[in-house]
């Protein structure tokens, strides 16, 4: 027979985990002012997951890993009206149904959100390419037209999860699935020397999660400055010491979502106030096709 103390220890009270609240996409959204960042999370259902309450069974994304049984997300109602030719071509080139579904879902979400911020239908959202910071060519990060643009945005997706950031100043977001130890060992040599030293000091079991968070910070920052991975990963320190990170930018870790890590980088020294909201990904819903 257990004592009362043993019984109390045996009852584990779950620790509340902050999770985004599902909300519909309003027809209009206020553009964030100052250095506030709006963050939107999009999750594609995993293999075998039932459709959500508003998703038709024949239009759900990621319903199965079998390519023969998975509905083509490009064939869902309204998709071809919203995505541009380049996005449709890119989606069609993805061979894995899960990758195609996530790409379509995240880009539909991006255009729907930008339409709400800009007060135009999603299908009328125009995107351009900023000049490349390295060579000046027209293949920099995607942006909305304007000098200066009315808002800045960033999109990242990885293994069933997508993150979209919208701000009044340059912003970068990144989401990463926690890799295996082999990936960490293969990629660690490309990091900044101080970042490698930090990883080396960790026990083996903690290295994959720490590496994923570090890489999310790094990609978020590189997207924010517009270079992406064309800039060497060793050029900038994005480790645990916040005082040694790139001057003029604030890089913030986001709460871990399952097996993913994420980060947001925003231009400015004041810390951003990220408001993370989960976007219901409904390929057949009116907000995405109107």
């Amino acid at each position: 027979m257990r004592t009362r103390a043993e019984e109390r220890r045996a009852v584990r009270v779950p620790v509340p985990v902050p999770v985004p609240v599902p909300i519909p996409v309003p027809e209009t959204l206020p553009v964030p002012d100052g250095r506030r960042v709006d963050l939107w999370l999009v999750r594609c259902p995993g293999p075998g997951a039932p459709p959500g309450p508003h998703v038709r069974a024949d239009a759900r994304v990621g319903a199965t890993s079998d390519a023969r049984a998975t509905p083509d997300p490009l064939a869902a109602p309204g998709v071809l009206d919203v995505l541009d030719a380049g996005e449709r071509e890119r989606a069609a080139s993805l061979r894995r149904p899960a990758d195609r579904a996530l790409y379509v879902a995240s880009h539909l979400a991006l255009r729907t959100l930008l339409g709400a911020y800009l007060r135009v239908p999603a299908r009328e959202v125009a995107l351009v390419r900023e000049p490349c910071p390295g060579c000046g060519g027209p293949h920099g990060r995607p942006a909305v037209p304007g000098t200066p643009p009315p808002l800045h945005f960033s999109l990242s997706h990885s293994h069933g999860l997508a993150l979209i950031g919208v701000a009044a100043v340059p912003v970068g977001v990144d989401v990463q699935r926690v890799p295996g130890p082999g990936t960490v060992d293969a990629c660690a040599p490309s990091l900044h020397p101080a970042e490698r030293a930090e990883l080396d000091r960790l026990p083996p079991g903690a290295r994959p999660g720490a590496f994923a968070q570090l890489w999310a910070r790094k990609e978020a920052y590189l997207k924010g400055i517009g270079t992406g991975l064309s800039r060497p990963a060793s050029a900038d320190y994005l480790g645990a010491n916040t005082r040694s990170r790139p001057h003029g930018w604030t890089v913030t870790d986001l709460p871990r979502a399952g097996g993913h890590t994420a980060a947001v980088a925003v231009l400015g020294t004041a810390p951003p106030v990220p408001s993370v909201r989960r976007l219901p990904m409904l390929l057949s819903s009116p907000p995405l096709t109107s």
Side-chain angles (χ1 to χ4, degrees):
M1 178 179 291
R2 293 186 299 185
T3 66
R4 289 187 177 181
E6 290 172 335
E7 289 176 349
R8 286 196 298 268
R9 288 194 295 269
V11 177
R12 296 185 178 273
V13 179
V15 178
V17 178
V19 295
V21 178
I23 65 169
V25 181
E27 292 186 3
T28 62
L29 288 166
V31 176
D33 55 3
R35 291 175 177 82
R36 195 188 92 229
V37 181
D38 285 352
L39 297 173
W40 300 83
L41 199 64
V42 181
R43 185 186 293 276
C44 279
H54 303 293
V55 183
R56 297 201 308 267
D58 61 347
R60 67 185 187 268
V61 292
T64 173
S65 58
D66 187 345
R68 295 169 298 178
T70 302
D72 185 352
L74 287 174
V79 170
L80 296 181
D81 294 334
V82 177
L83 302 185
D84 65 20
E87 290 168 319
R88 297 196 298 269
E89 181 179 358
R90 172 60 178 159
S93 71
L94 299 173
R95 300 182 62 181
R96 294 182 66 247
D99 293 340
R100 188 181 309 119
L102 179 60
Y103 181 91
V104 170
S106 60
H107 283 256
L108 281 174
L110 173 65
R111 287 185 172 273
T112 300
L113 289 169
L114 292 180
Y117 284 110
L118 300 173
R119 291 163 171 73
V120 299
R123 62 178 177 271
E124 295 180 13
V125 172
L127 297 180
V128 297
R129 287 282 184 174
E130 293 183 347
C132 171
C135 67
H139 49 262
R141 63 182 173 186
V144 295
T147 309
L151 56 79
H152 297 262
F153 68 89
S154 181
L155 166 65
S156 175
H157 45 75
S158 172
H159 297 86
L161 196 67
L163 182 65
I164 298 169
V166 179
V169 296
V171 62
V173 300
D174 191 67
V175 60
Q176 294 285 331
R177 188 170 73 169
V178 176
T183 300
V184 178
D185 293 340
C187 297
S190 66
L191 298 175
H192 187 280
E195 296 169 345
R196 296 199 303 268
E198 289 180 5
L199 287 178
D200 289 342
R201 289 193 293 268
L202 296 175
R207 295 184 76 219
F211 172 83
Q213 190 64 70
L214 166 64
W215 197 263
R217 291 187 210 117
K218 191 174 291 288
E219 283 217 45
Y221 169 69
L222 294 178
K223 290 177 182 178
I225 64 175
T227 65
L229 291 175
S230 64
R231 183 175 174 86
S234 60
D236 308 285
Y237 172 83
L238 275 302
N241 184 356
T242 57
R243 295 184 178 182
S244 297
R245 293 177 187 171
H247 178 71
W249 284 79
T250 301
V251 183
T252 304
D253 296 343
L254 301 179
R256 184 171 295 188
H260 291 76
T261 61
V264 54
V266 61
L267 180 65
T269 55
V273 182
S275 173
V276 185
R277 289 171 281 185
R278 188 171 63 215
L279 180 66
M281 194 59 249
L282 315 178
L283 287 180
S284 59
S285 66
L288 290 178
T289 57
S290 61

